[in-house]
Amino acid sequence: SGSSYQAESKTGVPTFYSHVVFCGTGKFTEVEFKQKCSDISVKISCRAGVDNLFFSMTAPRIVLKEAIELFGMLMSSPTFEKDKVRKIQNEIGYSMQNYAITPAETAFYTLAPALIFPSHIYKYGLHGNSEHFMKLSIDDLVKYKKKFLVIKNAEACICGNIDENEAVSLLNNVLRGIEKGEPAQDNIPDISPQLTPKITKYYVEGPQSVVIFILKNEKPLSSQKPAISILYRILGEHSSFKSKIMSELRTKQGLIYGGTIIPVDLNHANYAFGVLQTDNSKAQKAIESIKTIINKLRENGITPDELQFAKNNIKGTLLVRLRTSGELCQFYFGKMLDGFKTNALSDYLERTSKVTREEVNHQAKEILDEEKMSFILIGGNE
């Protein structure tokens, strides 16, 4: 139900829907609905991706019945208050055309997909063309809901102090106002990112630049994935100060304010999205330096200490993160969509523990190439 399953001119409907679904719900206005949720400490959210539309709810067990009623109402009865919908549409449209507002986010959702998937449906990104987006209507939202937000097109994950029978009952109550419908057909082919050494530049006025770079990755269930995850944690995932990006580019060379690697796993493509925040005057040097780091990782591999650091960091940050039912649900749901089973957490930790230095070094040679890194520079003096 994500953006890649829509017609080109309707690419932005899912993300538009995720932003305006709270603009009136059943008998409540937007303000009234939010107040109802706040009164019983319930958190309900909606977000869109290129593959799916996601709803989530976190609620105290003592108010679960009331929370489910509100959640079901949001799912089945959005009213799309016209004036508020138009205001949100204008805000999104403006941000799509102004890279300076959220440059990294714009690159992630729009510029990078267009660059690395030039002949694939993923090239339209999350929002599609801004001109098309501004022509979307409430009727488009209603049609989207009728076709895609149906029971046969849904997958769910429930996590908390609840048994299976009660979980099924609660889910049925959430979906009782939803049509049965038909599952959406997935005819999208798999694709690998098209990477070249070219630097694509977008001028933005101001003293700072954002450097984006794209690297290869593998599917979550592949046998190579654990070693690649460790490789990217060492390179810069999770913004650890012991990572190559932060220790070399920030601490030693003073070229960046911050930097990270974000693994991106889509239904039909996988890649790693890198971000460096820097000054205009240092942007080109930062690009040269990250290519040097990539070259050294490919040629020399990692050390035993780096391997142990990455394993400990991956396991430690994950287990610290998974301290609430909401975080646990997000983890398990993501793993479920990737094809893992209910033992996903123990499986993930075990697969991480078994990775050898030789496996990581092999993957470094396989997927890293400083001459095949696509770069996007937003900012600069040119």
Side-chain angles (χ1 to χ4, degrees):
S1 58
S3 60
S4 58
Y5 295 88
Q6 316 306 314
E8 179 185 348
S9 62
K10 309 297 181 184
T11 299
V13 171
T15 191
F16 189 24
Y17 192 98
S18 72
H19 281 83
V20 303
V21 68
F22 293 94
C23 294
T25 304
K27 61 184 179 181
F28 301 120
T29 65
E30 178 184 20
V31 173
E32 289 171 339
F33 184 80
K34 289 182 177 178
Q35 186 63 52
K36 286 284 184 181
C37 292
S38 177
D39 287 346
I40 59 174
S41 302
V42 170
K43 180 181 177 182
I44 301 177
S45 64
C46 180
R47 68 177 178 87
V50 297
D51 293 317
N52 302 295
L53 184 76
F54 301 90
F55 289 89
S56 68
M57 183 197 76
T58 303
R61 182 171 175 79
I62 195 171
V63 297
L64 200 50
K65 183 178 179 181
E66 296 170 77
I68 288 296
E69 289 179 2
L70 291 171
F71 195 25
M73 191 183 300
L74 180 78
M75 294 284 291
S76 63
S77 308
T79 57
F80 304 122
E81 297 173 21
K82 186 176 180 180
D83 291 343
K84 292 185 177 180
V85 167
R86 174 57 66 180
K87 179 183 178 182
I88 291 173
Q89 187 173 23
N90 288 335
E91 289 171 353
I92 297 173
Y94 176 70
S95 68
M96 288 172 64
Q97 298 176 59
N98 189 341
Y99 301 150
I101 298 176
T102 53
E105 187 173 307
T106 298
F108 187 85
Y109 289 120
T110 303
L111 305 180
L115 178 65
I116 63 177
F117 302 122
S119 59
H120 191 272
I121 193 70
Y122 280 155
K123 70 181 178 181
Y124 300 118
L126 186 63
H127 302 97
N129 179 284
S130 60
E131 185 178 337
H132 289 158
F133 186 88
M134 293 308 299
K135 291 180 180 178
L136 297 178
S137 66
I138 289 177
D139 186 54
D140 290 320
L141 299 171
V142 172
K143 288 179 178 177
Y144 169 77
K145 177 183 179 300
K146 183 175 179 61
K147 180 176 180 180
F148 290 96
L149 273 66
V150 297
I151 291 175
K152 284 194 173 181
N153 202 38
E155 294 185 70
C157 179
I158 301 176
C159 191
N161 181 21
I162 185 172
D163 64 35
E164 184 175 348
N165 290 333
E166 187 180 3
V168 171
S169 176
L170 289 173
L171 183 59
N172 286 337
N173 285 332
V174 170
L175 300 176
R176 66 185 175 186
I178 304 294
E179 294 183 25
K180 198 168 186 178
E182 294 296 332
Q185 297 301 307
D186 186 352
N187 299 316
I188 296 175
D190 290 348
I191 186 76
S192 296
Q194 191 174 106
L195 306 181
T196 67
K198 179 183 176 183
I199 302 174
T200 305
K201 298 181 179 181
Y202 295 88
Y203 173 75
V204 171
E205 189 173 346
Q208 297 179 340
S209 292
V210 173
V211 175
I212 306 298
F213 58 93
I214 309 296
L215 302 167
K216 292 181 181 179
N217 208 339
E218 284 287 343
K219 293 180 180 295
L221 280 174
S222 79
S223 59
Q224 300 100 322
K225 187 70 168 187
I228 294 173
S229 295
I230 286 177
L231 177 65
Y232 284 150
R233 186 60 61 103
I234 292 169
L235 179 59
E237 185 193 352
H238 212 267
S239 299
S240 166
F241 274 89
K242 288 190 70 174
S243 70
K244 298 286 187 181
I245 285 176
M246 293 297 283
S247 64
E248 291 287 334
L249 299 187
R250 175 173 165 150
T251 304
K252 292 183 181 179
Q253 300 183 45
L255 293 175
I256 64 172
Y257 307 118
T260 191
I261 301 286
I262 303 171
V264 182
D265 294 313
L266 306 177
N267 284 356
H268 300 284
N270 308 89
Y271 60 97
F273 180 90
V275 184
L276 305 176
Q277 297 168 305
T278 184
D279 291 334
N280 291 339
S281 60
K282 299 177 180 178
Q284 190 60 46
K285 180 63 176 175
I287 290 174
E288 294 169 3
S289 293
I290 190 65
K291 291 175 74 172
T292 299
I293 289 172
I294 293 294
N295 172 267
K296 289 181 178 178
L297 264 178
R298 180 167 57 84
E299 294 294 328
N300 304 328
I302 66 168
T303 67
D305 286 346
E306 288 173 332
L307 175 66
Q308 196 58 50
F309 150 73
K311 287 184 177 183
N312 292 340
N313 188 261
I314 287 173
K315 291 186 284 187
T317 54
L318 176 64
L319 295 176
V320 167
R321 184 189 121 201
L322 301 183
R323 290 181 295 178
T324 67
S325 57
E327 291 288 356
L328 280 165
C329 194
Q330 184 179 357
F331 172 84
Y332 278 108
F333 189 50
K335 291 298 181 183
M336 184 184 85
L337 294 179
D338 287 337
F340 289 88
K341 301 187 183 300
T342 52
N343 67 338
L345 180 56
S346 58
D347 181 55
Y348 178 78
L349 295 173
E350 183 179 356
R351 279 162 40 110
T352 299
S353 296
K354 288 182 177 179
V355 173
T356 66
R357 182 184 168 205
E358 289 72 25
E359 289 173 327
V360 177
N361 289 342
H362 175 75
Q363 289 306 315
K365 292 184 181 297
E366 287 289 311
I367 68 171
L368 297 182
D369 186 345
E370 67 277 9
E371 297 305 322
K372 289 185 179 179
M373 294 172 62
S374 291
F375 284 93
I376 296 172
L377 173 59
I378 304 175
N381 296 309
E382 298 180 20

